[in-house]
Structures are given as C-alpha cells and as structure tokens.
Amino acid sequence: MSTPQGARARARAEVTAAIKEAARRQLADEGAAKLSLRAVARELGMVSSALYRYFPSRDELLTALIIDAYDSLGENAERARDAAHGAAPVARWTAVCEAVRGWALAHPHEYALIYGSPVPGYAAPETTVPAASRVGLVLIGIIRAAHEGPGLAGPTVPASLRPEAERMAADLAPDLPPEVAVAMVAAWSQLFGLVSFELFGQFRNVVEDREGFFRHTVTQLAHGVGLR
Amino acid sequence: MSTPQGARARARAEVTAAIKEAARRQLADEGAAKLSLRAVARELGMVSSALYRYFPSRDELLTALIIDAYDSLGENAERARDAAHGAAPVARWTAVCEAVRGWALAHPHEYALIYGSPVPGYAAPETTVPAASRVGLVLIGIIRAAHEGPGLAGPTVPASLRPEAERMAADLAPDLPPEVAVAMVAAWSQLFGLVSFELFGQFRNVVEDREGFFRHTVTQLAHGVGLR
DNA sequence: CACAAAAGAGAGCAGTGCTCTTGCATTCTC
DNA sequence: GAGAATGCAAGAGCACTGCTCTCTTTTGTG
C-alpha cells in the first residue's frame, strides 16, 4: 500500500510538472506565440513525441498554463487581501489592485496569456472558469465586508438596466444592492483596462508616473463601488 | 510624363494593397497568429518569396495592418463624433464610445491586434503612434469643447500626483485643468478595459445585457471626466 | 516472475518564415 | 532605338513548427 499504483502516477505528475515549468520559463522568455513543444521537449532532454503522452496538444499545454496563471494571480490577490486585513475598505481594495498590477508587471507574458487577446483559434474552455474568478471573488469580498454595516450604494442605474443589474447581483452577491453589483463589475473591468494599457505600452509618452497614476485611479474606482 | 516611372509605382501600390487586403481577410478569419505569408501569397496566385518584395517580413505586414486598424477605428470614432455634432457633451462622449465598441465587435481580430497582447517578440514601432492616437484625440476634443464655457473639473488629485498631472495636461491638453487630464486618461483606459473584457470573453456568465451595461458604464465614465 | 500497460524513440507529413540564386520583363540612359 | 540597369517573380532550399504513427524499451503490478 506504500505506492501501489502510485509510483507511476507520481512519476507522471513529476514529469507533467517539469513540462509545465519548462514551458512557463519559455513563456516568460518569448511569449505565448513562440512557445514551442519541441523546444520544451529539448530542454527536458526528451523527444517531442514523448511530450504528447502528457499533453494531447499545444493548446492543452497552454490551457494548463492559463489555469496556473489565473491561480498564481488569484493567490497573490488573496495574500494582499489577507495582509491588509485590518485596514479600511479603500486601503484593502487598493492593496488588492496593486497586487494585481505587481503580479502583471512581474509576469507580463502570463498576464498577456490570460487577459490579452485569446490565443489563435482558441476559446478558453470551461476548465479555466473557477481559477479565473478568484480575483473577482476577492474584490467582491472586500465590497461585501464594507457594505455589511451602513450599506452604502453605488450610483443608481437607469430603469432599463434594472433587470440586468438584479440578475448580476443575484449571481455575484445576492446580499448586495444591484447598483453595487453593476459598479463592481465595471470597476473590475476597468482595473484590468488600466493594467493592460500600462503593460501593453499604451501609456508610453502619456503616463510617466505609472505607479502614482495607478494608485490614484484605483482609489477612484473604490469610491465608485461605494467604498470610503 | 503620363506614367514615366509611375507605372511601376502604381503597379507596386496595387499589389501592396492586394496583399494587405488578402491579409486582412485572413486576419478576420483566423486571427493574427495564424496569418501566414504563404497563404496570402497562395490566395494572390504568387509564390511566397515574391511577397518579400513588398513586405520585408511578416512583422512588417502586421505593422501595416495595425496602422490600418488604428486608422479604421479612428475614422469610425471621428464619424461618430461628427454625427453627434449638436448633442450634449455626454451624448457625444457615449456616441464615440459606442462607435469604438461597435467597431471592435465588427472587427474582433483587428481589435485584438491593436489592443490585445502585443504580438510575439514584437514591440509596436513608432510608426503606429500617430494612427494610435486618433481615438484619444477625439475624446480629448469632446472634453475640451465641454470645458470651454464653465470649466468643470475632475476629482482632485493628491499632492503627490500633481507634477505628473501637470505634465500630462501639458502634453495632452494645455488648456484643460490637470485633474481633468488625469481623469481623461483613466477614462480612456477604462473604456478599452470594458471593450476588451466583453470581446475577450471575460463577461461570459457575468454580464448578459452587454449593450446596456456598456452604455451605462460609459455614461459614468463621462461623469468622471466632468461631462454632464 | 511473467506480462500488460505505459512511456520513450524515431521517422515522417504537412506546414511555416525566410534566403538565395536564376531568369525574365520593364524601365532608364545614351 | 540599342544596351545597361533595375524591379520583379519564380523556384529550390534551410531550419523550424505541431502532430501522427509505429516500434521498442521500460516498469509497475498481478
């Protein structure tokens, strides 16, 4: 019972991890488009066809990397949230936002993989969904905690958007007012717009003090979702 | 003097245009990563090496397509601005934003090319800068026009961001108050965050009425830059 | 210990970007 | 107008890619 059919499984897990690690290294060096199965195999001293025993295709490897990236980012966000545990809502919010930005700057190609243009003919499979939601959940958590007491509200939504707002609230945070759910999703997308623009070079010749600009804008976002 | 050395030049221009057209078609079908010089050449009935007389590399072709995409988007934005000529500032703002979104939905791959992750080892050359700024200029124009009279202001920026805010204002719109410049850049990036999230599938299972959500959020952005 | 399942090796196919040489046609110059 | 210069297309070829197929080796397990 020590390693009954576990020996094989463990070896398999190790090789799988080694492949992902090598792939991640290559991803960081050259970007997703230049990630080559053959190069990964070469680096590991195996022949390329052997690699297909572990990942049925290049896209499957990419999917695995995508999930890992989402998880890594999510973990970072959660750590930042926990570190800012006692702080005021706005401070916790900005802490998480800055963790997202920091992770993105540290892992630009992995960020591009998950928040840039989706890869070739490739639509993110359902598998990535849980990992992808972690950051969002962290942000929701902060807002929810802040709204527990007084129950601040976001800007009112027009009547035409009410049904959608209520639907969103029901899905995301049934205990929050619909306007807050709307504002929250908006802030969420805007946070990543900010990070993407910085990372993808749109701020070149426009924003110099990116850190300061980010901090300020993200604080504004916090106000937009009702945090003080 | 009719077409002395112009015959060659004209033929060259025509072939160049045909190449770009075929490439754009392929881009729309398959995305940037799958754009193949050989396939383009095939479609045009020429051999792949002949294509290198017109574009020195695949990346140069992509750069040309990028510039065209920026121009196409910019033109759309300008048209929307002109069409909403007499309307209130907020209406003009949202009109331009919706034009951006509409163009993105109609040309997803071209949008991904310019606002998604930058291509492989490829940094956008300086050539793309003028075309890239057109949308931004349209937005600035609307804000400037709205601020001509009363001189509304954006949310105040913290002291630490003052120098940066003044630098940004000096570069972008010397006649506008620095806070407005900051708010304007933020709104700009947030607009594209919104569009990118919708286009890249992050709103799946989250936002259903995307049109309505976009309209509302973009109106909020307008308020953020001081438009009423 | 024997065996079946799993993993690796290697060849091969169709495709890619890009280079280089060769032949042809068009243009410019005298 | 004849000859030289130039532009263009074609074709072969190189090094690479993802992926499949077959064959052999390894190895855990009954």
Side-chain angles (χ1 to χ4, degrees):
Chain A
M1 258 269 178
S2 56
T3 48
Q5 66 187 36
R8 269 234 158 91
R10 221 179 50 184
R12 190 178 172 79
E14 266 169 30
V15 176
T16 306
I19 292 174
K20 285 206 287 186
E21 195 187 342
R24 196 155 22 235
R25 216 175 359 253
Q26 216 174 104
L27 181 67
D29 282 2
E30 304 264 28
K34 291 206 174 162
L35 185 142
S36 147
L37 281 190
R38 293 182 111 111
V40 169
R42 224 159 16 224
E43 188 177 326
L44 265 56
M46 40 166 63
V47 82
S48 74
S49 60
L51 218 143
Y52 283 82
R53 303 257 172 219
Y54 298 88
F55 294 94
S57 77
R58 184 180 176 276
D59 277 0
E60 291 283 337
L61 214 197
L62 271 181
T63 303
L65 294 183
I66 286 176
I67 294 178
D68 284 6
Y70 273 126
D71 271 327
S72 167
L73 170 62
E75 230 176 88
N76 253 50
E78 287 162 13
R79 241 200 306 278
R81 172 200 59 190
D82 298 342
H85 174 258
V90 174
R92 299 176 70 200
W93 171 276
T94 58
V96 170
C97 290
E98 273 167 25
V100 169
R101 174 173 178 265
W103 185 92
L105 291 178
H107 310 87
H109 283 115
E110 292 181 66
Y111 179 88
L113 194 59
I114 56 183
Y115 287 109
S117 18
V119 193
Y122 168 86
E126 291 298 317
T127 339
T128 65
V129 171
S133 0
R134 287 178 69 169
V135 179
L137 291 180
V138 171
L139 295 177
I140 290 182
I142 292 175
I143 299 178
R144 176 181 287 133
H147 281 74
E148 249 168 20
L152 304 161
T156 56
V157 302
S160 60
L161 199 61
R162 279 299 294 197
E164 172 70 8
E166 276 162 18
R167 225 196 35 70
M168 284 168 61
D171 279 9
L172 297 174
D175 49 337
L176 291 183
E179 314 88 38
V180 174
V182 171
M184 138 83 206
V185 172
W188 173 56
S189 87
Q190 288 162 8
L191 162 63
F192 285 95
L194 220 48
V195 174
S196 294
F197 259 34
E198 174 173 355
L199 213 67
F200 297 161
Q202 303 278 357
F203 281 164
R204 219 181 334 180
N205 305 329
V206 178
V207 181
E208 214 66 52
D209 175 14
R210 315 223 163 121
E211 162 97 39
F213 176 74
F214 181 83
R215 192 183 231 95
H216 172 250
T217 307
V218 134
T219 307
Q220 294 298 118
L221 287 184
H223 295 160
V225 293
L227 303 184
R228 294 290 138 203
Chain B
M1 257 272 178
S2 57
T3 48
Q5 66 184 39
R8 268 222 213 271
R10 221 179 50 185
R12 189 178 174 79
E14 266 170 31
V15 175
T16 306
I19 292 174
K20 286 207 287 187
E21 196 187 340
R24 199 159 17 240
R25 211 171 9 245
Q26 216 175 102
L27 182 66
D29 282 2
E30 303 265 29
K34 291 206 174 160
L35 184 143
S36 145
L37 282 189
R38 292 182 111 112
V40 169
R42 218 154 28 219
E43 188 176 326
L44 265 56
M46 42 166 59
V47 81
S48 73
S49 59
L51 219 144
Y52 283 83
R53 302 257 166 211
Y54 298 89
F55 295 93
S57 77
R58 185 180 175 275
D59 279 359
E60 291 283 338
L61 213 197
L62 272 181
T63 302
L65 294 183
I66 286 176
I67 295 178
D68 285 5
Y70 272 126
D71 271 328
S72 168
L73 171 61
E75 229 176 272
N76 253 49
E78 287 162 13
R79 241 198 307 277
R81 172 201 56 191
D82 298 344
H85 175 258
V90 174
R92 301 177 67 200
W93 171 275
T94 57
V96 170
C97 290
E98 272 166 26
V100 169
R101 173 172 178 268
W103 185 91
L105 291 178
H107 308 87
H109 284 116
E110 292 181 66
Y111 179 87
L113 194 60
I114 57 182
Y115 287 109
S117 20
V119 193
Y122 168 86
E126 291 298 317
T127 339
T128 66
V129 171
S133 359
R134 285 178 68 169
V135 178
L137 290 180
V138 171
L139 295 176
I140 291 183
I142 292 175
I143 299 177
R144 177 180 287 132
H147 281 74
E148 251 169 19
L152 303 162
T156 57
V157 302
S160 60
L161 200 62
R162 279 300 296 198
E164 172 70 8
E166 277 162 17
R167 224 196 34 69
M168 284 167 62
D171 278 11
L172 296 174
D175 49 338
L176 291 183
E179 312 89 39
V180 174
V182 171
M184 138 81 205
V185 171
W188 173 55
S189 87
Q190 289 162 8
L191 162 63
F192 285 96
L194 220 48
V195 175
S196 295
F197 259 35
E198 174 172 356
L199 213 67
F200 298 161
Q202 301 279 356
F203 281 162
R204 218 179 337 176
N205 305 329
V206 178
V207 181
E208 214 66 52
D209 175 14
R210 312 221 167 122
E211 164 98 37
F213 176 74
F214 181 83
R215 193 183 229 94
H216 171 250
T217 306
V218 135
T219 307
Q220 294 297 117
L221 287 184
H223 295 160
V225 294
L227 303 184
R228 292 291 136 199

